[in-house]
Amino acid sequence: EDDVPLDVRVKQHVAILEEKMLDPSWTVMAIWPAPMIYGGPTEVQFHAQSRRNAGASFFVVGRDPAGMKGSELAVASPDDDLYKGEHGRYVLQMSPVLEDQQMQLISFDKFYYDIKDHKMKAMDESRPDDFISISGSKMRKLAAQGATPCPDPIPNDLLAANCIPQGFMVPEGWNIVCDY
């Protein structure tokens, strides 16, 4: 219910290309009409298979690709995800979708925002205090609050500070999501 609709996301991506956060000379923006239904690991297989059937050679799967929260009525751990973040990837790796090797899996783990160099990357375990977890849910909450760019130093609690870290999104792209 808090997801950003397709037309808003497309406008946001157009702004990213116009402001050259991504190079428009080699970036292709394409839409795959298969909305997320939060079906867990089975949904990951559906998305991979449908793309494979259309001729895709690669499928990118990250951490928590189709997760959903447990029920408030759950007796044990009501706030936990129903699936571990890696379950979609694990199921896909064992799936017949990849057996004939017509499509390769590109897998990645969770990335964090490094407040020292203002980039998204894997966490450096030697300095965990320099990394902030930025989820889609957190960004949607910040957009709903009309968050503005963070001052330096960047605070660890973005929601409390109501700010977005520099370099996370081009200004016009962020304004489009906030306006939604």
Side-chain angles (χ1 to χ4, degrees), residues 16-29:
I16 289 169
L17 291 169
E18 287 175 348
E19 294 187 37
K20 298 191 175 22
M21 184 177 203
L22 296 175
D23 185 342
S25 69
W26 56 260
T27 301
V28 176
M29 181 170 57

Side-chain angles (χ1 to χ4, degrees), residues 87-99:
H87 276 170
R89 178 176 29 197
Y90 292 156
V91 170
L92 188 57
Q93 287 170 334
M94 296 182 285
S95 168
V97 173
L98 301 177
E99 278 181 357

Side-chain angles (χ1 to χ4, degrees), residues 45-162:
Q45 290 185 65
F46 161 74
H47 283 279
Q49 180 70 48
S50 65
R51 285 163 176 80
R52 179 184 173 275
N53 290 347
S57 300
F58 298 92
F59 184 73
V60 178
V61 62
R63 186 192 164 278
D64 197 16
M68 59 187 199
K69 294 289 183 196
S71 167
E72 294 175 359
L73 303 175
V75 176
S77 306
D79 293 328
D80 286 348
D81 288 339
L82 292 178
Y83 306 100
K84 289 189 177 185
E86 300 81 18
H87 276 170
R89 178 176 29 197
Y90 292 156
V91 170
L92 188 57
Q93 287 170 334
M94 296 182 285
S95 168
V97 173
L98 301 177
E99 278 181 357
D100 61 10
Q101 299 182 352
Q102 287 186 18
M103 185 169 72
Q104 295 178 26
L105 180 65
I106 300 174
S107 179
F108 64 91
D109 290 319
K110 186 170 182 180
F111 275 51
Y112 298 83
Y113 184 83
D114 185 338
I115 62 175
K116 296 294 185 195
D117 69 4
H118 309 292
K119 293 181 181 176
M120 296 294 291
K121 59 170 84 170
M123 184 183 291
D124 180 345
E125 297 296 333
S126 70
R127 50 186 191 92
D129 293 339
D130 292 339
F131 291 84
I132 301 172
S133 175
I134 299 180
S135 67
S137 296
K138 185 183 287 184
M139 285 295 108
R140 289 188 295 274
K141 285 178 186 172
L142 287 166
Q145 295 174 185
T148 57
C150 295
D152 264 337
I154 295 172
N156 283 329
D157 188 345
L158 299 176
L159 287 170
N162 197 34

